[in-house]
Amino acid sequence: MDLSARPAVRALTASKIRELFNAGLGRSDVLPFWVGEPDEATPEFIRRAGMDSIAAGELFYTHNLGIAELREALAAYVTRLHRVVTPESIAVTSAGVNALMLASQLLVDPGDRVVEVVPLWPNLQEIPKILGAEVVTVPLAFAPSGWQLDLDRLLEALTPGTKALYLNSPNNPTGWTISREAQQAVLARCRAHGIWIFADDAYERQYYEGNPVAPSFLEIADAGDRVISTNTFSKAWCMTGWRLGWLVVPPALIDDLGKLIEYNTSCAPVFIQRAGLAAVREGEPVIAHMLERLRRARDLLVASLNEIPGVEAALPSGTMYAFFRVAGVRDSLAFCKQLVRDVGLGLAPGSAFGPEGEGCVRWCFAASEARLRDGVERLRRGLQQGGG
Ligand SMILES: Cc1ncc(COP(=O)(O)O)c(C=O)c1O
C-alpha cells in the first residue's frame, strides 16, 4: 500500500528553525532570538475584546470574508495608510500565512513560474511549491550599508509567461525594503506582462526610515491592477498566537476568494475578529510603542555585533531582524547548533531562508536591552570557543 504524500509535499523543506528549536527543547538556559515574534504579550484591551465576545456568546460561524465591522475598519485603515480601498476588497483570513496560501490558491496553477526575492521567510518559498509551481529566485546582495536588490536582475526574471512575483518588503530575514522607484519599475514590468504581484506587507509597520509605514504597492497600483496585498495582525499588534490576517484584492476576485475561504477554514473565529477590530481601531499607540523599542534594540544590537571581530551586520530599514554575516561560517545550521550547545544562544541559521542565506544568521531583536547584551556576550564567547 502506498501511504506517501504527493511528491510536491514530500519535496517540501522541513523548517530548519524548527530543527534547531527542537535541539534546544528542555534547556532552560537557552536565550532564544530565533523565533520571529514580538516579546510583549497582546495588549489588555485587545484580549478584553476577545473575551467579551466569547462571554457574549459569539461562538458561531461568520461570513466567509469576515464580519462587516472588521472589513470596514480594515478598509478604513488601509485607506488611511495607502489609498482608498472599499470593504469589497478586503477578506479576513486566519493569519498571514493563510492569506498567502489563499492568494496562491486563487491564481497559481501547477507548473506556473513564480519569482521571489531571497533570502526569504521559508513559508513563502514553500507555499507556491505545495501548489506545484516552479519558484525562480533573485538574490539580494549583502553590503555593510544594507542589503541591496539588483533591480535589473529582478526585471529580467519577470519574463512574459511568469504568473506571479512574491515580494516581501520589509523583508524577513534581511530587513531590506524596496524603494518607491524600484516598485514603479517592477509594477510597470508586471503590467506589461500580466504578472500578479503578491505583496507580503507583514512588516510594513516595523519601518525605521521616517514614515510610519513602508512604501507599499497599494499606493502606486489601483483597484484594476493585478496586485494583492497580504497582511497580518501578528507583528503590528503582538498577536502571533491569535492567527488573524487579511487580504486586499481587486474586487473582481472577492467572490472566488470567499469560496476558497469556505473550503479552507470557512471563516476566522468571530471572537478573534472582535479582538482584531479593537486592535485596528485603537492600536496605533501599540505600534508606536513597539516601534520605538524596536528601533533602540536594532541600533544597540547592530552596533554591538559590529564590534565582534569577524561579524558584519547592516542596519535593517525594517522588520525586527538583523541578518548578519559571520566570517568562516559555511554551515550556518551546524554553527547555530553549536551556539545552542556551547553558550545557550538561540539564533536562526541563514540557510533556513534559502541557500542564498548561507553564511549568515538571523537575530530577532524584539527583546530587552539586558537580554540583547547577554546574547551578544554569548556570541562573542561562542566565537572565541572555536565557532565559525
Ligand atoms: C514575511 C512574513 N510574512 C507573513 C508572516 C505571517 O505571519 P502570521 O502567519 O503569523 O500572520 C510572517 C511571519 O513570520 C512573515 O515573516
Side-chain angles (χ1 to χ4, degrees), residues 267-311:
C267 60
V270 57
F271 44 90
I272 305 284
Q273 295 191 55
R274 291 282 177 210
L277 184 58
V280 188
R281 281 190 179 154
E282 299 156 52
E284 279 305 308
V286 178
I287 293 175
H289 157 78
M290 274 308 283
L291 193 66
E292 246 343 277
R293 273 197 63 212
L294 287 173
R295 183 196 303 279
R296 270 185 272 123
R298 172 193 76 147
D299 293 350
L300 169 76
L301 178 65
V302 171
S304 316
L305 286 174
N306 280 318
E307 283 169 12
I308 303 178
V311 174

Side-chain angles (χ1 to χ4, degrees), residues 36 94-98 100 120-121 123-124 168 170-172 200-203 230-235 239-240 243-245 321 362:
S94 296
V97 67
N98 175 235
L100 285 158
L120 183 59
W121 183 49
N123 300 40
L124 254 174
N168 170 226
N171 165 272
N172 174 8
D200 179 349
D201 295 328
Y203 296 96
T230 71
N231 219 317
T232 172
F233 287 72
S234 290
K235 319 285 169 170
M239 292 179 71
T240 49
R243 317 309 299 136
L244 192 66
Y321 310 114
R362 189 192 75 174

Side-chain angles (χ1 to χ4, degrees), residues 64 91-106 121 123 127 200 230-232 234 243-247 257 260-269:
N64 295 135
V92 177
T93 65
S94 296
V97 67
N98 175 235
L100 285 158
M101 178 59 91
L102 288 164
S104 305
Q105 287 176 355
L106 260 180
W121 183 49
N123 300 40
I127 283 171
D200 179 349
T230 71
N231 219 317
T232 172
S234 290
R243 317 309 299 136
L244 192 66
W246 74 91
L247 285 161
L257 179 55
L260 275 181
I261 294 175
E262 171 62 27
Y263 301 132
N264 274 275
T265 54
S266 298
C267 60

Side-chain angles (χ1 to χ4, degrees), residues 296-354:
R296 270 185 272 123
R298 172 193 76 147
D299 293 350
L300 169 76
L301 178 65
V302 171
S304 316
L305 286 174
N306 280 318
E307 283 169 12
I308 303 178
V311 174
E312 256 191 309
L315 209 58
S317 51
T319 74
M320 49 190 165
Y321 310 114
F323 196 64
F324 56 96
R325 293 214 298 205
V326 183
V329 168
R330 264 168 223 94
D331 179 345
S332 53
L333 180 58
F335 175 62
C336 287
K337 280 184 177 164
Q338 187 188 324
L339 288 177
V340 172
R341 194 185 59 230
D342 295 351
V343 292
L345 176 63
L347 302 180
S351 59
F353 305 91

Side-chain angles (χ1 to χ4, degrees), residues 343-377:
V343 292
L345 176 63
L347 302 180
S351 59
F353 305 91
E356 302 81 0
E358 191 51 284
C360 293
V361 282
R362 189 192 75 174
W363 186 315
C364 175
F365 52 76
S368 68
E369 195 177 314
R371 285 171 83 85
L372 291 171
R373 288 190 193 281
D374 186 355
V376 169
E377 270 326 298

